[in-house]
Amino acid sequence: MLSLSRSALIASLQDKTHEALGKFVVPEQPLAILDFPDIRNCGDSAIWLGEMAYLKDRFGKRPSYVSRAGDFSPEALKKAVPEGPIFIHGGGNFGDIWVGHQDFREHVMEVFPQRPIVQFPQSIHYGSAERAEKTKRAIGKHGKFTLLVRDEESFDFAQKHFDCEVILCPDMAFCIGEVKATDPKFPVLAMLREDKEQVGAIDFSAYPDIPKEDWITENRNEVLLEKAKGVVSAWLNLHPSEARLRKLDAAAHHRFNRGITQIARGKALVTDRLHVHICSLLTGRPHAVLDNNYGKIRRFMAAFSGGTDLSYKARSLEDGIDWARAKAAEAV
């Protein structure tokens, strides 16, 4: 495969995103986005900011209604967005690993039958055939659900099991564009999962010189402060829906910036997180890629992001660290 520059790869994936998604956004219609990721994972905030950037850059639009899963109001949505598509935040939670998100999107289908619902790009994974069948029934009953997916395996699964339009689309975080990062502090930084998608316990004792971290730890008070800053300057003049959106955007920006600052500390990285891979591409950091427990990262790289010398598909942790050390030495 011909290796692309970082700029060319990002621009190409932004164009592919618009090709897949553009027909669902009607310039003169308001729109809603549901399931804002008010969680510690910086990658989910990167996706949200990419969704916002896509709407702004391509259409000059802001959503008229947003909600988290826990404060969703069908009545408020109907008032703010009486017609047109309802969008659901993208990511890697379509299936039965993060079942709360799946329950929420199926609830939205039930509440808004025959109203167009567009799922921003997702990765799909089901461990239970019964749970997949439940989703199939919800989609079939709804009748106007569109599913965007981030890899060929998810595309094939959805086409086989679900009666809806299925479209292959890159991850929305690429719509953020190139990001300037601070100077590194370590030759190699390991960013490895500590949640339900990790492959298993990793023995890192052979690498005492390499920091090993994840990016799901945060100072909750700092996030609350950023939410307040998002609306405090002109809160008296804002429509309540815009004030709400600014508050959530501020939290997403805070988490995203925390993640970028964290990964920028390495000249080169080793990771099993998809959005450390994506954010490393956005910042231009070389990185060795392991995988999560169901192949999400390599599936995405095969479909979209593997065509650059910045990333390397490591065969093992040792292989990935050796590659990252070599890349860090080149950068001296």
Side-chain angles (χ1 to χ4, degrees):
M1 178 184 293
L2 180 66
S3 179
L4 297 175
S5 70
R6 173 174 62 127
S7 297
L9 176 66
I10 293 170
S12 172
L13 294 180
Q14 289 177 346
D15 288 342
K16 288 180 180 179
T17 298
H18 188 54
E19 290 171 10
L21 192 56
K23 68 179 181 179
F24 299 106
V25 181
V26 181
E28 62 272 16
Q29 281 186 338
L31 58 84
I33 304 180
L34 309 184
D35 202 13
F36 172 82
D38 200 4
I39 56 177
R40 298 170 296 172
N41 188 336
C42 303
D44 288 277
S45 290
I47 297 169
W48 176 267
L49 295 177
E51 292 162 355
M52 295 296 105
Y54 171 75
L55 293 172
K56 178 177 181 290
D57 295 344
R58 297 283 183 167
F59 298 98
K61 290 180 70 68
R62 297 267 283 173
S64 298
Y65 177 82
V66 297
S67 83
R68 293 165 289 199
D71 56 18
F72 169 58
S73 167
E75 293 74 22
L77 190 156
K78 290 174 186 176
K79 182 177 180 180
V81 188
E83 60 181 4
I86 298 168
F87 290 82
I88 302 178
H89 174 66
N93 55 44
F94 201 107
D96 57 7
I97 294 180
W98 308 99
V99 70
H101 295 280
Q102 190 64 32
D103 288 341
F104 175 69
R105 70 173 54 90
E106 291 173 17
H107 171 64
V108 175
M109 292 182 217
E110 183 179 4
V111 172
F112 288 96
Q114 295 300 312
R115 174 91 177 253
I117 296 176
V118 180
Q119 172 63 68
F120 277 123
Q122 279 277 348
S123 300
I124 299 175
H125 179 76
Y126 283 91
S128 164
E130 290 78 12
R131 191 64 182 81
E133 181 64 26
K134 183 176 183 293
T135 302
K136 176 181 178 179
R137 292 195 300 270
I139 291 174
K141 184 178 180 181
H142 177 263
K144 288 190 177 180
F145 183 74
T146 300
L147 175 56
L148 278 69
V149 294
R150 305 187 297 194
D151 60 79
E152 296 282 0
E153 289 83 349
S154 293
F155 181 85
D156 293 342
F157 182 94
Q159 284 214 311
K160 179 180 178 181
H161 291 88
F162 304 144
D163 183 16
C164 65
E165 183 176 11
V166 184
I167 302 171
L168 193 63
C169 181
D171 187 272
M172 296 301 297
F174 282 103
C175 292
I176 295 172
E178 295 182 40
V179 176
K180 186 176 181 179
T182 56
D183 292 336
K185 295 182 178 180
F186 310 114
V188 178
L189 174 64
M191 294 287 293
L192 300 173
R193 303 192 76 108
E194 296 178 355
D195 61 10
K196 290 189 286 187
E197 291 187 40
Q198 67 180 144
V199 173
I202 293 177
D203 181 5
F204 215 74
S205 60
Y207 310 104
D209 58 317
I210 297 177
K212 174 181 171 291
E213 305 172 357
D214 199 359
W215 64 5
I216 56 174
T217 299
E218 72 178 8
N219 184 323
R220 192 66 178 173
N221 289 332
E222 288 182 1
V223 176
L224 292 172
L225 179 60
E226 291 303 315
K227 287 181 178 180
K229 288 179 180 177
V231 297
V232 70
S233 62
W235 67 273
L236 286 174
N237 299 317
L238 292 175
H239 188 279
S241 62
E242 177 62 20
R244 175 186 178 82
L245 178 54
R246 289 194 187 187
K247 183 167 68 172
L248 296 179
D249 275 351
H253 276 289
H254 177 74
R255 289 176 173 126
F256 176 70
N257 291 336
R258 170 170 61 80
I260 292 295
T261 299
Q262 189 173 359
I263 67 173
R265 290 156 56 238
K267 287 183 181 178
L269 295 99
V270 179
T271 190
D272 57 0
R273 277 198 175 275
L274 174 59
H275 282 87
V276 173
H277 160 61
I278 291 175
C279 289
S280 294
L281 293 176
L282 297 182
T283 57
R285 287 290 199 267
H287 55 287
V289 176
L290 302 168
D291 220 333
N292 76 327
N293 62 357
Y294 67 89
K296 177 170 66 178
I297 308 176
R298 296 198 185 196
R299 282 162 38 174
F300 182 78
M301 291 178 71
F304 293 115
S305 61
T308 170
D309 291 338
L310 280 173
S311 58
Y312 169 70
K313 296 178 183 178
R315 296 181 294 272
S316 64
L317 177 62
E318 181 181 8
D319 179 44
I321 287 177
D322 287 346
W323 182 90
R325 280 176 166 160
K327 280 293 182 181
E330 289 177 9
V332 174

